[in-house]
Amino acid sequence: MSARMLYFKEDALSAGRVAAAAGIESIAIDCHRFPDDELCLALPFVEASEFPETLVIFRSLDRPNEKLFELMLMARHLRQNGVKRLVLVAPYLAYMRQDIAFNPGELVSQQLVGGFLAEWFDAVITVDPHLHRIERLEQAIPVKHAIALSGAPRLAEFIVQQRGQALLIGPDEESAQWVESAAEGCGLEHGVCRKVRKGDREVDIELPRLDITGRQVVLMDDIASSGHTLARAARQLFDAGAESVDVAVTHALFAGNALEVIQSAGVENIWSTDCIAHDSNVVAMAPVLAKALEQVLGALG
Ligand code: R5P
C-alpha cells in the first residue's frame, strides 16, 4: 500500500500542497478538545489491517508544546497498529536554538527534543533548522534520514526580483550560512553582523565593516521571534546611511508584537517562506519539501 499523509486541520493548506506535489493522498486527523483542554485525536483507520505501512505526518512546529505531545500520541498509536515507516515533515522545527545550557542547570532542549523525534519517526524533513554549534541535523535528531532543506535560495530569487542591487546582511554569526548561500546563488554582496544577546528582547549588534551609505539592505535570518534582532539591526543600518531596509526570513514566528517592533524600526517589507503560514509569506516551499519527501519515501522502501 502506498504512503499517505496525515495532517492536522490548521495545516490543511500547506499539507495539501506538499501531498499533491508528492502525489500522495492526504488525510485529516480529527482533534477534539475537551473542556479541560485534554485532546482526543481520531483517525479514519480503526482495525490494524486498515493502517498503511508507511505514513507521513505533516506538522510545522511553531508554538510547539502541544504539537509535540500530539505527535507523541500519534506516533505511539500508529506504531501500535503496525505502521512500519513513519516520516515527519516539519517545515519549522522547534527547540533547535537551545543547543547548549546557556546558564547553569538549563536543559539542552535541542538534544532532548531531537531524541524524542528520533524515537517516534524514521525520517524527519525540515527547513533551515537552527543548526549553530552542530553542522548536521542528524546530530540533533539521530535518524537515518534527517533532511535539512533551505529556504535561502528561493528567498534570494525573490529578493533579486524586488531589489536587484540589494546588500544582504545577516544580523548575527549564525545567519552567515543562510546569507552566504543566498548571496552566492544570486550574486549579491553580503555581510554578517555580530550579536550579543542580553535577554529575550534585548540584543547588541555590531554591523560588518561595509559601506552601507545609500544601500538598499535586506536583512536575512532563519527566524524572527520577538523581532528585536531584526529591529535593532535595521536601526543601526539606517544610522549607517542605508536607503532602505527590508527583512526576509525563513520562519515567520513573529511572537507577540514582533511585526510592530520590526516595522517601527523603519523596515519597509517583511518577506518569509510559507514554512509557517503568515501574511508575509512570499515563497512556497511545497515543491522543495515534496521532492525531498519523494526521495525519503523511495529510500525507506
Ligand atoms: C538566533 O540566532 C536566530 O537566528 C534569530 O536571530 C533569533 O532567534 C531571533 O530572535 P528575536 O526575533 O527574538 O530577536
Side-chain angles (χ1 to χ4, degrees), residues 97 130 172 174 195 197 221-229:
R97 283 169 291 175
H130 191 86
D172 52 26
E174 292 103 298
K195 176 169 88 177
R197 185 170 282 285
D221 208 354
D222 57 337
I223 293 164
S225 176
S226 74
H228 284 277
T229 295

Side-chain angles (χ1 to χ4, degrees), residues 92 97 130 132 171-175 177-178 195 197 199-203 205 220-232 249 253-255 258 261-262:
Y92 174 64
R97 283 169 291 175
H130 191 86
H132 174 38
D172 52 26
E173 290 93 334
E174 292 103 298
S175 63
Q177 53 188 300
W178 303 293
K195 176 169 88 177
R197 185 170 282 285
D200 289 347
R201 294 177 178 76
E202 199 187 348
V203 294
I205 284 189
M220 273 194 94
D221 208 354
D222 57 337
I223 293 164
S225 176
S226 74
H228 284 277
T229 295
L230 293 169
R232 181 68 191 247
V249 293
L253 281 176
F254 299 124
V261 167
I262 295 168

